[in-house]
Amino acid sequence: MRKIAFSGFAWDKANLSKCQEHGVSSAEVEHVLSHAATLIVPDLKNSRSEPRYIAIGATAAGRFAFVVFTPRQTGTRILLRPISARYMHRKEIRKYEQEIARLQNR
């Protein structure tokens, strides 16, 4: 599990619409990215031009979401720029819950 220190989010029309096309709101994305129980792992497969990460966690309403994002340095601040987001399927949720339990029992 990885934690990334950041001071805000970098939203624009493109990434906002990309996340919302799957029904996930910006507030839900921000909650997943800032919640303590979110699992964050590097997205090595898609990190060609910039570092990308996958965040898996629950929204404030308890719905599980999969969020892809990249950290962006702006002066002295690090902003998280969401790239895409979608709700997770039951099978993915079970895997996430098993991984969180495994990490907590270490």
Side-chain angles (χ1 to χ4, degrees), residues 4 12 17 20 23 34 42 45 66-67 71 73 81 92 102:
I4 296 176
D12 60 31
S17 69
Q20 291 176 338
S34 59
K45 190 169 136 184
F66 179 96
V67 179
Q73 182 109 21
R81 184 180 190 286
E92 294 171 318
R102 186 185 69 77

Side-chain angles (χ1 to χ4, degrees), residues 23-33 35 38 56-67 85-88 96:
V24 184
S25 72
S26 59
E28 290 174 310
V29 169
E30 290 179 7
H31 185 272
V32 168
L33 291 176
H35 193 263
T38 296
I56 301 169
T59 66
R63 200 153 176 206
F64 288 92
F66 179 96
V67 179
R86 65 173 175 78
Y87 293 114
M88 294 169 55
Y96 161 76

Side-chain angles (χ1 to χ4, degrees), residues 36-80:
T38 296
L39 178 65
I40 298 175
V41 296
D43 181 4
L44 301 174
K45 190 169 136 184
N46 296 305
S47 293
R48 291 178 194 91
S49 62
E50 63 187 355
R52 287 189 178 194
Y53 296 88
I54 297 169
I56 301 169
T59 66
R63 200 153 176 206
F64 288 92
F66 179 96
V67 179
V68 178
F69 72 95
T70 186
R72 294 268 172 92
Q73 182 109 21
T74 306
T76 59
R77 300 175 63 203
I78 294 178
L79 302 177
L80 300 185

